[in-house]
């Protein structure tokens, strides 16, 4: 069966520091991969999605970037974190377009 | 631009009650609709997915219906249990492959 892993589960970072969140999927090949941010009391906001290695689409202008160095690995990065980057970050995968999405357990990011 | 709303924002019911959660979307041109459950501090767990050609889907005590023309979906939970306490989110998938999520309904089932 397929599983998705996200780490770390929680992270506290100072303003201006770099960021790297990692997501990996097991048990499937060539998945679509997604990064979302969930702010308190609000819905999920799609940040990035990828349909293949090295293919990244960004949904909103922001301080973050994403990369997909391997088929089942998706990384969310920042060179300098802002206070507004705080939130709950979720990685998800699907077998293809229009297919159900499956989520990891998320990373709680706090910026001080 | 597709917008998804969910009513009510929060709901508290005694154990054993049947309940309905509502999801509304503004653009009826959707490919499918997915219901999720989110426990505090956790990721989303997929509950049901309804294709646009379907009217409803059932899984155990859960039944989700879809009325595309009116832009509505409902999630029916039968015989609610304290373990059902969570936030329930719906998401629509449009023909541009965009997932648009609602803000969720926070459900508390009291023992």
């Amino acid at each position: 069966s397929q599983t998705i892993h996200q780490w770390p589960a929680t992270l506290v970072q100072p303003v201006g520091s770099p960021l790297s969140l990692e997501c990996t999927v097991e048990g499937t090949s060539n998945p679509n991969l997604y990064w979302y941010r969930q702010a308190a009391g609000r819905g999920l906001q799609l940040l990035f999605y990828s349909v293949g290695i090295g293919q990244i689409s960004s949904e909103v202008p922001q301080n973050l970037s994403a990369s997909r160095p391997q088929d089942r690995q998706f990384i969310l990065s920042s060179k300098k974190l802002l206070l507004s980057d705080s939130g709950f970050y979720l990685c998800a995968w699907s077998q293809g377009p229009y297919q159900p999405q499956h989520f990891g357990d998320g990373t709680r990011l706090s910026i001080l | 631009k597709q917008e998804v709303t969910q009513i009510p924002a929060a709901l508290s019911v005694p154990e054993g009650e049947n309940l309905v959660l509502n999801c509304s979307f503004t653009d009826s041109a959707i490919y499918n609709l997915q219901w999720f459950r989110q426990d505090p501090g956790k990721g989303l767990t997929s509950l049901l997915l309804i294709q646009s050609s379907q009217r409803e889907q059932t899984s155990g005590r859960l039944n989700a219906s879809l009325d595309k023309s009116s832009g509505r979906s409902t999630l029916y939970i039968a015989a609610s249990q304290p373990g059902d306490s969570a936030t329930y989110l719906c998401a629509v998938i449009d023909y541009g492959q965009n997932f648009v999520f609602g803000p969720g309904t926070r459900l508390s089932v009291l023992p």
Side-chain angles (χ1 to χ4, degrees):
Chain A
S1 64
Q2 301 90 358
T3 56
I4 180 169
H5 303 281
Q6 266 189 261
W7 67 92
T10 60
L11 188 60
V12 180
Q13 293 284 98
V15 170
S17 63
L19 173 73
S20 181
L21 302 181
E22 189 162 342
C23 172
T24 59
V25 180
E26 297 177 356
T28 187
S29 59
N30 197 31
N32 284 8
L33 297 172
Y34 309 84
W35 278 112
Y36 290 89
R37 177 168 55 208
Q38 186 177 35
R42 299 172 64 181
L44 274 71
Q45 179 186 36
L46 179 63
L47 302 176
F48 300 95
Y49 69 93
S50 171
V51 298
I53 295 174
Q55 301 179 60
I56 309 295
S57 297
S58 174
E59 289 296 300
V60 294
Q62 58 197 302
N63 183 44
L64 303 169
S65 62
S67 61
R68 184 170 177 173
Q70 300 181 43
D71 181 46
R72 291 169 289 174
Q73 183 184 30
F74 206 22
I75 297 172
L76 185 67
S77 304
S78 174
K79 293 182 179 178
K80 285 187 177 183
L81 286 167
L82 306 172
L83 282 174
S84 59
D85 291 324
S86 292
F88 191 50
Y89 288 83
L90 289 157
C91 180
W93 72 274
S94 68
Q95 196 56 64
Y98 311 116
Q99 298 302 308
Q101 291 196 1
H102 307 278
F103 285 77
D105 284 337
T107 294
R108 175 75 58 191
L109 176 63
S110 299
I111 310 299
L112 304 179
Chain B
K1 179 184 174 185
Q2 178 77 265
E3 293 185 1
V4 180
T5 56
Q6 291 185 247
I7 294 174
L11 181 64
S12 184
V13 300
E15 182 177 6
E17 268 201 16
N18 302 324
L19 57 98
V20 175
L21 307 181
N22 297 292
C23 171
S24 298
F25 45 95
T26 54
D27 187 347
S28 62
I30 65 169
Y31 190 85
N32 58 37
L33 183 146
Q34 193 170 359
W35 280 95
F36 296 87
R37 168 188 173 134
Q38 185 177 28
D39 293 293
K42 296 294 186 181
L44 279 66
T45 300
S46 180
L47 298 174
L48 291 163
L49 181 138
I50 311 177
Q51 303 285 355
S52 62
S53 58
Q54 297 175 316
R55 297 283 294 181
E56 63 179 61
Q57 278 283 347
T58 298
S59 175
R61 295 182 293 109
L62 305 180
N63 176 276
S65 67
L66 175 63
D67 184 344
K68 267 184 54 176
S69 60
S70 66
R72 296 178 61 182
S73 176
T74 60
L75 179 66
Y76 175 82
I77 303 177
S80 59
Q81 304 171 357
D84 295 330
S85 298
T87 297
Y88 291 82
L89 298 96
C90 65
V92 299
I93 308 166
D94 64 24
Y95 286 90
Q97 305 175 32
N98 300 305
F99 261 76
V100 181
F101 284 82
T105 293
R106 189 171 66 253
L107 173 65
S108 296
V109 180
L110 306 176

